[in-house]
Short mmCIF file of all heavy atoms in Angstrom, two decimals:
data_model
loop_
_atom_site.label_atom_id
_atom_site.label_comp_id
_atom_site.label_asym_id
_atom_site.label_seq_id
_atom_site.Cartn_x
_atom_site.Cartn_y
_atom_site.Cartn_z
N TRP V 55 121.69 162.08 128.09
CA TRP V 55 121.40 161.56 126.75
C TRP V 55 121.13 162.71 125.78
O TRP V 55 121.68 162.75 124.67
CB TRP V 55 120.19 160.63 126.84
CG TRP V 55 119.72 160.05 125.54
CD1 TRP V 55 119.07 160.69 124.53
CD2 TRP V 55 119.87 158.69 125.11
NE1 TRP V 55 118.78 159.81 123.51
CE2 TRP V 55 119.26 158.58 123.85
CE3 TRP V 55 120.43 157.55 125.70
CZ2 TRP V 55 119.21 157.38 123.14
CZ3 TRP V 55 120.38 156.35 125.00
CH2 TRP V 55 119.78 156.27 123.74
N THR V 56 120.31 163.65 126.18
CA THR V 56 119.95 164.77 125.31
C THR V 56 121.16 165.62 124.98
O THR V 56 121.36 166.04 123.83
CB THR V 56 118.86 165.63 125.97
OG1 THR V 56 117.73 164.80 126.26
CG2 THR V 56 118.45 166.77 125.08
N ALA V 57 121.99 165.89 125.99
CA ALA V 57 123.13 166.76 125.80
C ALA V 57 124.15 166.17 124.82
O ALA V 57 124.78 166.91 124.06
CB ALA V 57 123.81 167.06 127.13
N LEU V 58 124.29 164.85 124.82
CA LEU V 58 125.34 164.22 124.02
C LEU V 58 124.83 163.51 122.79
O LEU V 58 125.52 163.43 121.77
CB LEU V 58 126.11 163.24 124.90
CG LEU V 58 127.42 162.67 124.32
CD1 LEU V 58 128.35 163.80 123.89
CD2 LEU V 58 128.09 161.77 125.32
N GLY V 59 123.60 162.98 122.85
CA GLY V 59 123.13 162.11 121.79
C GLY V 59 123.04 162.76 120.43
O GLY V 59 123.49 162.20 119.43
N THR V 60 122.46 163.96 120.35
CA THR V 60 122.27 164.61 119.04
C THR V 60 123.59 164.97 118.39
O THR V 60 123.83 164.63 117.21
CB THR V 60 121.39 165.85 119.19
OG1 THR V 60 120.10 165.45 119.69
CG2 THR V 60 121.21 166.55 117.85
N PRO V 61 124.51 165.67 119.07
CA PRO V 61 125.80 165.97 118.42
C PRO V 61 126.60 164.72 118.09
O PRO V 61 127.29 164.67 117.07
CB PRO V 61 126.52 166.86 119.44
CG PRO V 61 125.83 166.64 120.74
CD PRO V 61 124.42 166.31 120.40
N ALA V 62 126.52 163.69 118.93
CA ALA V 62 127.26 162.46 118.66
C ALA V 62 126.75 161.78 117.41
O ALA V 62 127.53 161.24 116.61
CB ALA V 62 127.17 161.51 119.86
N ALA V 63 125.43 161.81 117.19
CA ALA V 63 124.86 161.21 115.99
C ALA V 63 125.39 161.87 114.74
O ALA V 63 125.62 161.20 113.72
CB ALA V 63 123.33 161.28 116.06
N ARG V 64 125.60 163.16 114.79
CA ARG V 64 126.17 163.87 113.62
C ARG V 64 127.59 163.42 113.35
O ARG V 64 128.08 163.54 112.22
CB ARG V 64 126.11 165.39 113.84
CG ARG V 64 124.69 165.96 113.82
CD ARG V 64 124.73 167.46 113.67
NE ARG V 64 125.27 168.12 114.85
CZ ARG V 64 124.52 168.60 115.84
NH1 ARG V 64 123.21 168.51 115.79
NH2 ARG V 64 125.10 169.20 116.88
N ALA V 65 128.27 162.91 114.37
CA ALA V 65 129.64 162.42 114.21
C ALA V 65 129.69 160.93 113.89
O ALA V 65 130.77 160.35 113.82
CB ALA V 65 130.45 162.71 115.47
N GLY V 66 128.53 160.31 113.68
CA GLY V 66 128.49 158.88 113.34
C GLY V 66 128.48 157.96 114.52
O GLY V 66 128.78 156.77 114.39
N LEU V 67 128.09 158.48 115.70
CA LEU V 67 128.06 157.68 116.93
C LEU V 67 126.66 157.79 117.54
O LEU V 67 126.14 158.89 117.72
CB LEU V 67 129.10 158.16 117.93
CG LEU V 67 130.57 158.01 117.49
CD1 LEU V 67 131.47 158.85 118.39
CD2 LEU V 67 130.99 156.55 117.52
N LEU V 68 126.07 156.65 117.89
CA LEU V 68 124.73 156.64 118.45
C LEU V 68 124.78 156.30 119.94
O LEU V 68 125.56 155.45 120.36
CB LEU V 68 123.85 155.64 117.72
CG LEU V 68 123.64 155.91 116.22
CD1 LEU V 68 122.69 154.87 115.63
CD2 LEU V 68 123.11 157.32 115.99
N PRO V 69 123.94 156.96 120.75
CA PRO V 69 123.98 156.74 122.20
C PRO V 69 123.23 155.50 122.63
O PRO V 69 122.23 155.10 122.01
CB PRO V 69 123.31 158.00 122.75
CG PRO V 69 122.32 158.38 121.68
CD PRO V 69 122.99 158.02 120.37
N VAL V 70 123.68 154.89 123.71
CA VAL V 70 122.96 153.81 124.38
C VAL V 70 123.43 153.79 125.83
O VAL V 70 124.59 154.07 126.12
CB VAL V 70 123.22 152.44 123.70
CG1 VAL V 70 124.69 152.04 123.81
CG2 VAL V 70 122.32 151.36 124.27
N LEU V 71 122.51 153.51 126.74
CA LEU V 71 122.86 153.37 128.15
C LEU V 71 123.26 151.92 128.42
O LEU V 71 122.56 150.99 128.03
CB LEU V 71 121.69 153.75 129.05
CG LEU V 71 121.24 155.21 129.02
CD1 LEU V 71 119.94 155.38 129.79
CD2 LEU V 71 122.33 156.12 129.60
N LEU V 72 124.39 151.74 129.10
CA LEU V 72 124.86 150.40 129.44
C LEU V 72 124.77 150.20 130.95
O LEU V 72 125.27 151.03 131.72
CB LEU V 72 126.31 150.21 128.98
CG LEU V 72 126.58 150.38 127.49
CD1 LEU V 72 128.06 150.15 127.19
CD2 LEU V 72 125.72 149.42 126.66
N ASP V 73 124.15 149.11 131.35
CA ASP V 73 124.02 148.77 132.77
C ASP V 73 125.32 148.11 133.24
O ASP V 73 125.66 147.02 132.79
CB ASP V 73 122.84 147.83 132.98
CG ASP V 73 122.73 147.33 134.41
OD1 ASP V 73 123.22 148.05 135.31
OD2 ASP V 73 122.18 146.25 134.61
N THR V 74 126.03 148.78 134.14
CA THR V 74 127.30 148.23 134.63
C THR V 74 127.20 147.72 136.06
O THR V 74 128.19 147.26 136.62
CB THR V 74 128.41 149.31 134.57
OG1 THR V 74 128.09 150.36 135.49
CG2 THR V 74 128.52 149.89 133.17
N GLY V 75 125.99 147.79 136.65
CA GLY V 75 125.87 147.45 138.06
C GLY V 75 125.27 146.09 138.34
O GLY V 75 125.07 145.74 139.51
N GLY V 76 124.98 145.31 137.31
CA GLY V 76 124.42 143.99 137.53
C GLY V 76 125.48 142.99 137.95
O GLY V 76 126.68 143.29 138.02
N THR V 77 125.06 141.78 138.22
CA THR V 77 125.99 140.74 138.67
C THR V 77 127.00 140.39 137.59
O THR V 77 128.08 139.86 137.89
CB THR V 77 125.23 139.47 139.08
OG1 THR V 77 124.43 139.02 137.97
CG2 THR V 77 124.32 139.75 140.26
N GLN V 78 126.66 140.66 136.32
CA GLN V 78 127.58 140.35 135.22
C GLN V 78 128.47 141.53 134.85
O GLN V 78 129.20 141.47 133.88
CB GLN V 78 126.77 139.92 133.99
CG GLN V 78 125.93 138.68 134.19
CD GLN V 78 126.78 137.43 134.33
OE1 GLN V 78 127.94 137.41 133.96
NE2 GLN V 78 126.18 136.38 134.88
N GLY V 79 128.40 142.62 135.62
CA GLY V 79 129.26 143.76 135.36
C GLY V 79 128.89 144.49 134.09
O GLY V 79 127.76 144.44 133.62
N GLY V 80 129.87 145.19 133.53
CA GLY V 80 129.65 145.98 132.32
C GLY V 80 130.23 145.31 131.09
O GLY V 80 130.56 144.12 131.11
N PRO V 81 130.36 146.06 130.00
CA PRO V 81 130.77 145.47 128.73
C PRO V 81 132.14 144.81 128.73
O PRO V 81 132.40 143.93 127.91
CB PRO V 81 130.73 146.66 127.75
CG PRO V 81 130.73 147.88 128.60
CD PRO V 81 130.06 147.50 129.87
N LEU V 82 133.00 145.19 129.67
CA LEU V 82 134.31 144.54 129.74
C LEU V 82 134.20 143.05 130.04
O LEU V 82 135.10 142.27 129.70
CB LEU V 82 135.18 145.21 130.80
CG LEU V 82 135.86 146.53 130.41
CD1 LEU V 82 136.51 147.18 131.61
CD2 LEU V 82 136.89 146.30 129.30
N THR V 83 133.09 142.63 130.65
CA THR V 83 132.92 141.22 131.02
C THR V 83 131.78 140.55 130.25
O THR V 83 131.37 139.44 130.60
CB THR V 83 132.66 141.08 132.53
OG1 THR V 83 131.48 141.83 132.89
CG2 THR V 83 133.84 141.61 133.32
N TRP V 84 131.27 141.20 129.20
CA TRP V 84 130.12 140.66 128.47
C TRP V 84 130.50 139.75 127.31
O TRP V 84 129.62 139.19 126.66
CB TRP V 84 129.25 141.79 127.94
CG TRP V 84 128.48 142.52 128.99
CD1 TRP V 84 128.43 142.23 130.33
CD2 TRP V 84 127.66 143.67 128.79
NE1 TRP V 84 127.63 143.13 130.97
CE2 TRP V 84 127.14 144.03 130.06
CE3 TRP V 84 127.32 144.43 127.68
CZ2 TRP V 84 126.28 145.13 130.22
CZ3 TRP V 84 126.48 145.52 127.84
CH2 TRP V 84 125.96 145.85 129.10
N ASP V 85 131.76 139.61 127.01
CA ASP V 85 132.20 138.77 125.89
C ASP V 85 131.51 139.18 124.59
O ASP V 85 130.82 138.40 123.94
CB ASP V 85 131.93 137.29 126.18
CG ASP V 85 132.61 136.37 125.17
OD1 ASP V 85 133.60 136.80 124.56
OD2 ASP V 85 132.14 135.23 124.99
N LEU V 86 131.70 140.44 124.21
CA LEU V 86 131.11 140.97 122.98
C LEU V 86 131.82 140.40 121.76
O LEU V 86 133.05 140.40 121.69
CB LEU V 86 131.20 142.50 122.98
CG LEU V 86 130.56 143.19 124.19
CD1 LEU V 86 130.79 144.70 124.13
CD2 LEU V 86 129.06 142.89 124.26
N THR V 87 131.05 139.93 120.78
CA THR V 87 131.64 139.25 119.62
C THR V 87 131.00 139.73 118.32
O THR V 87 130.26 138.99 117.67
CB THR V 87 131.47 137.72 119.74
OG1 THR V 87 130.08 137.41 119.93
CG2 THR V 87 132.28 137.16 120.91
N PRO V 88 131.26 140.96 117.91
CA PRO V 88 130.65 141.46 116.67
C PRO V 88 131.08 140.68 115.43
O PRO V 88 130.34 140.61 114.44
CB PRO V 88 131.12 142.92 116.60
CG PRO V 88 132.37 142.95 117.43
CD PRO V 88 132.14 141.96 118.53
N GLU V 89 132.26 140.08 115.49
CA GLU V 89 132.76 139.33 114.33
C GLU V 89 131.91 138.09 114.04
O GLU V 89 131.96 137.54 112.94
CB GLU V 89 134.22 138.95 114.52
CG GLU V 89 134.51 138.05 115.71
CD GLU V 89 134.66 138.79 117.03
OE1 GLU V 89 134.50 140.03 117.05
OE2 GLU V 89 134.95 138.12 118.05
N ARG V 90 131.11 137.66 115.01
CA ARG V 90 130.26 136.48 114.81
C ARG V 90 128.86 136.84 114.32
O ARG V 90 128.06 135.94 114.03
CB ARG V 90 130.14 135.70 116.13
CG ARG V 90 131.47 135.16 116.65
CD ARG V 90 131.25 134.39 117.94
NE ARG V 90 132.53 133.97 118.53
CZ ARG V 90 132.64 133.36 119.71
NH1 ARG V 90 131.53 133.09 120.41
NH2 ARG V 90 133.81 133.01 120.17
N MET V 91 128.57 138.13 114.24
CA MET V 91 127.23 138.56 113.87
C MET V 91 127.12 138.79 112.37
O MET V 91 128.08 139.20 111.73
CB MET V 91 126.85 139.85 114.62
CG MET V 91 127.00 139.75 116.13
SD MET V 91 125.98 138.42 116.85
CE MET V 91 126.66 138.34 118.51
N SER V 92 125.94 138.56 111.84
CA SER V 92 125.67 138.87 110.45
C SER V 92 125.24 140.33 110.35
O SER V 92 125.45 141.12 111.28
CB SER V 92 124.59 137.93 109.89
OG SER V 92 123.40 138.03 110.65
N TYR V 93 124.62 140.72 109.25
CA TYR V 93 124.19 142.10 109.04
C TYR V 93 122.67 142.16 109.14
O TYR V 93 121.97 141.38 108.48
CB TYR V 93 124.66 142.58 107.67
CG TYR V 93 124.22 143.98 107.32
CD1 TYR V 93 124.52 145.05 108.15
CD2 TYR V 93 123.51 144.23 106.15
CE1 TYR V 93 124.12 146.33 107.83
CE2 TYR V 93 123.10 145.51 105.82
CZ TYR V 93 123.41 146.57 106.67
OH TYR V 93 123.01 147.83 106.35
N PRO V 94 122.11 143.06 109.96
CA PRO V 94 120.66 143.11 110.14
C PRO V 94 119.88 143.24 108.84
O PRO V 94 118.79 142.67 108.70
CB PRO V 94 120.45 144.33 111.04
CG PRO V 94 121.72 144.44 111.82
CD PRO V 94 122.80 144.01 110.87
N GLY V 95 120.43 143.96 107.88
CA GLY V 95 119.74 144.17 106.62
C GLY V 95 119.60 142.92 105.77
O GLY V 95 118.86 142.91 104.79
N ASP V 96 120.30 141.84 106.15
CA ASP V 96 120.21 140.59 105.40
C ASP V 96 119.05 139.71 105.86
O ASP V 96 118.86 138.62 105.32
CB ASP V 96 121.52 139.79 105.53
CG ASP V 96 122.68 140.45 104.80
OD1 ASP V 96 122.42 141.26 103.89
OD2 ASP V 96 123.84 140.16 105.15
N HIS V 97 118.27 140.17 106.84
CA HIS V 97 117.21 139.34 107.41
C HIS V 97 115.87 140.05 107.28
O HIS V 97 115.79 141.29 107.27
CB HIS V 97 117.50 139.04 108.88
CG HIS V 97 118.84 138.43 109.11
ND1 HIS V 97 119.14 137.12 108.82
CD2 HIS V 97 120.00 138.97 109.60
CE1 HIS V 97 120.41 136.87 109.11
NE2 HIS V 97 120.94 137.97 109.60
N ASP V 98 114.81 139.27 107.20
CA ASP V 98 113.45 139.78 107.14
C ASP V 98 112.80 139.62 108.51
O ASP V 98 112.78 138.51 109.08
CB ASP V 98 112.65 139.02 106.08
CG ASP V 98 111.21 139.47 106.02
OD1 ASP V 98 110.93 140.49 105.37
OD2 ASP V 98 110.36 138.80 106.63
N ALA V 99 112.27 140.71 109.05
CA ALA V 99 111.72 140.68 110.41
C ALA V 99 110.60 139.66 110.54
O ALA V 99 110.54 138.91 111.52
CB ALA V 99 111.22 142.07 110.80
N GLY V 100 109.70 139.64 109.58
CA GLY V 100 108.58 138.69 109.65
C GLY V 100 109.03 137.25 109.65
O GLY V 100 108.50 136.42 110.40
N GLU V 101 110.05 136.95 108.84
CA GLU V 101 110.55 135.58 108.78
C GLU V 101 111.24 135.19 110.08
O GLU V 101 111.09 134.06 110.56
CB GLU V 101 111.51 135.43 107.60
CG GLU V 101 110.82 135.55 106.24
CD GLU V 101 111.81 135.48 105.08
OE1 GLU V 101 113.04 135.38 105.35
OE2 GLU V 101 111.37 135.53 103.92
N VAL V 102 111.98 136.12 110.66
CA VAL V 102 112.65 135.83 111.94
C VAL V 102 111.62 135.55 113.03
O VAL V 102 111.72 134.57 113.79
CB VAL V 102 113.57 137.01 112.35
CG1 VAL V 102 114.09 136.81 113.78
CG2 VAL V 102 114.73 137.15 111.38
N LEU V 103 110.60 136.39 113.12
CA LEU V 103 109.59 136.21 114.15
C LEU V 103 108.77 134.95 113.93
O LEU V 103 108.44 134.24 114.89
CB LEU V 103 108.68 137.44 114.20
CG LEU V 103 109.35 138.73 114.70
CD1 LEU V 103 108.40 139.91 114.56
CD2 LEU V 103 109.81 138.59 116.15
N GLU V 104 108.45 134.66 112.70
CA GLU V 104 107.70 133.43 112.41
C GLU V 104 108.50 132.21 112.84
O GLU V 104 107.95 131.25 113.41
CB GLU V 104 107.35 133.35 110.94
CG GLU V 104 106.54 132.12 110.57
CD GLU V 104 106.08 132.11 109.13
OE1 GLU V 104 106.62 132.91 108.32
OE2 GLU V 104 105.20 131.30 108.80
N GLU V 105 109.81 132.24 112.59
CA GLU V 105 110.66 131.11 112.98
C GLU V 105 110.66 130.93 114.49
O GLU V 105 110.70 129.81 115.00
CB GLU V 105 112.08 131.35 112.47
CG GLU V 105 113.05 130.26 112.82
CD GLU V 105 114.46 130.54 112.30
OE1 GLU V 105 114.58 131.22 111.26
OE2 GLU V 105 115.43 130.09 112.95
#
Side-chain angles (χ1 to χ4, degrees):
W55 178 287
T56 302
L58 191 54
T60 299
R64 291 195 292 265
L67 296 165
L68 298 183
V70 64
L71 294 171
L72 301 181
D73 174 26
T74 66
T77 57
Q78 299 290 341
L82 281 172
T83 59
W84 288 356
D85 191 23
L86 303 176
T87 55
E89 61 277 2
R90 298 181 185 175
M91 306 301 168
S92 58
Y93 177 56
D96 290 339
H97 306 285
D98 178 82
E101 292 177 358
V102 171
L103 292 173
E104 182 174 14
E105 180 180 330

